[in-house]
Amino acid sequence: MKKLWLASAALAAQLASPAMAAEWPVIAPTYTPPPTYTPPPPPPAIYSWWTGCYLGGNLGGAWTRAFYTQDNSVFTEDFEFTPKAVIGGGQLGCQYQWDSLVFGVEGTWSWSNLRQSQPSLRVFQLFGPNADPRERSIGIDQIGTVTARVGYAWDRTMLYAKAGWAGVRVSARARDLVTGEYADFTDFTSGWTVGVGMEHVPWQSIVLGVEANFYDVTGFDHSGPDSVGVPARFFNTSAPIWAISLRASYLFGPPIVTRYVN
């Protein structure tokens, strides 16, 4: 009897369940959209304002303390000269920036008028006040250099140093103020140079700067017959030169990305 009641209850539940289900509202499934992917921002870039080749000009002032001994086969005499003059010219170079360091090579050519004369006092000591006055002079009018440069840059500003070869055209003259020149030579002498400078890029491709240079010029000794055939010579020669110049250059090529900051 008990089993009959259980079977009847189960059958009644099965018959009633569809009807009960029909009375419950249908619940729509909940939709969750997939998460959107947002790429990370690109890392900041480090730009090179210094990589490329450049061409420009410079203008400033120069001075020297030149020295030589002149021998005219009768007596010898020492002369020292301290001329000052304007110096100006052009520069051409190429460089490459690696992180904060900038490596390059540069050539320059400058013109100046470093020129001065000194009277010969030895003539009056030997021949008296009635002797023909004589003077000695020196002139430096051209300076060429080929140098290596290394700099430290932060953004658009760079400090740099340079060193290399220098060539200087030097002339020396011995002149009788009554009869004219009687010993004269002009020579292109090799030496070396060092310099330091600072440059800044105020606008893209425009580079402005200031530079200080030292040129070591020694050994422009010369000997030969003078205008009347008497042997003459210039020796113990030296002409160290200092110069400070303002520079302006055009750097070819836009700034490039050298690396990204991690």
Side-chain angles (χ1 to χ4, degrees), residues 53-133:
C53 294
Y54 57 89
L55 176 67
N58 59 79
L59 181 67
W63 62 97
T64 182
R65 188 174 182 177
F67 181 88
Y68 64 68
T69 300
Q70 201 267 331
D71 179 6
N72 63 0
S73 297
V74 178
F75 60 88
T76 62
E77 189 173 4
D78 297 331
F79 294 91
E80 184 176 87
F81 309 90
T82 57
K84 302 175 181 65
V86 173
I87 186 171
Q91 64 268 2
L92 172 65
C94 293
Q95 57 194 13
Y96 177 78
Q97 181 175 0
W98 183 75
D99 284 347
S100 296
L101 297 179
V102 181
F103 303 94
V105 293
E106 181 181 87
T108 69
W109 195 269
S110 302
W111 292 264
S112 186
N113 190 30
L114 287 166
R115 195 171 298 275
Q116 192 177 57
S117 299
Q118 295 284 352
S120 173
L121 302 179
R122 186 71 171 154
V123 172
F124 299 106
Q125 293 174 355
L126 293 177
F127 305 109
N130 296 324
D132 291 346

Side-chain angles (χ1 to χ4, degrees), residues 3-262:
K3 293 182 178 180
L4 179 60
W5 279 105
L6 292 175
S8 299
L11 179 60
Q14 291 180 0
L15 293 174
S17 59
M20 294 177 64
E23 295 178 0
W24 288 94
V26 179
I27 300 175
T30 302
Y31 174 76
T32 303
T36 57
Y37 173 74
T38 302
I46 291 182
Y47 288 92
S48 169
W49 296 97
W50 304 100
T51 296
C53 294
Y54 57 89
L55 176 67
N58 59 79
L59 181 67
W63 62 97
T64 182
R65 188 174 182 177
F67 181 88
Y68 64 68
T69 300
Q70 201 267 331
D71 179 6
N72 63 0
S73 297
V74 178
F75 60 88
T76 62
E77 189 173 4
D78 297 331
F79 294 91
E80 184 176 87
F81 309 90
T82 57
K84 302 175 181 65
V86 173
I87 186 171
Q91 64 268 2
L92 172 65
C94 293
Q95 57 194 13
Y96 177 78
Q97 181 175 0
W98 183 75
D99 284 347
S100 296
L101 297 179
V102 181
F103 303 94
V105 293
E106 181 181 87
T108 69
W109 195 269
S110 302
W111 292 264
S112 186
N113 190 30
L114 287 166
R115 195 171 298 275
Q116 192 177 57
S117 299
Q118 295 284 352
S120 173
L121 302 179
R122 186 71 171 154
V123 172
F124 299 106
Q125 293 174 355
L126 293 177
F127 305 109
N130 296 324
D132 291 346
R134 299 181 183 182
E135 67 176 17
R136 309 293 184 262
S137 66
I138 194 162
I140 298 172
D141 59 0
Q142 296 182 39
I143 303 174
T145 69
V146 178
T147 59
R149 295 204 322 170
V150 59
Y152 179 82
W154 61 98
D155 196 23
R156 300 188 182 206
T157 303
M158 177 175 66
L159 292 174
Y160 65 88
K162 57 189 290 188
W165 171 85
V168 179
R169 196 171 84 155
V170 183
S171 62
R173 292 180 175 87
R175 178 180 175 86
D176 188 312
L177 299 183
V178 176
T179 61
E181 294 181 6
Y182 64 89
D184 178 19
F185 85 91
T186 300
D187 197 8
F188 203 85
T189 303
S190 291
W192 54 269
T193 180
V194 294
V196 294
M198 181 175 69
E199 290 183 326
H200 180 69
V201 182
W203 308 281
Q204 181 175 321
S205 300
I206 302 298
V207 183
L208 303 179
V210 60
E211 183 176 275
N213 291 294
F214 172 75
Y215 309 93
D216 183 78
V217 182
T218 57
F220 51 93
D221 297 8
H222 186 82
S223 61
D226 62 15
S227 59
V228 295
V230 177
R233 64 178 181 137
F234 299 84
F235 61 102
N236 292 336
T237 54
S238 66
I241 304 168
W242 295 264
I244 298 178
S245 300
L246 299 176
R247 294 163 49 106
S249 303
Y250 183 86
L251 182 66
F252 295 92
I256 63 172
V257 177
T258 58
R259 67 181 178 89
Y260 287 97
V261 178
N262 294 324

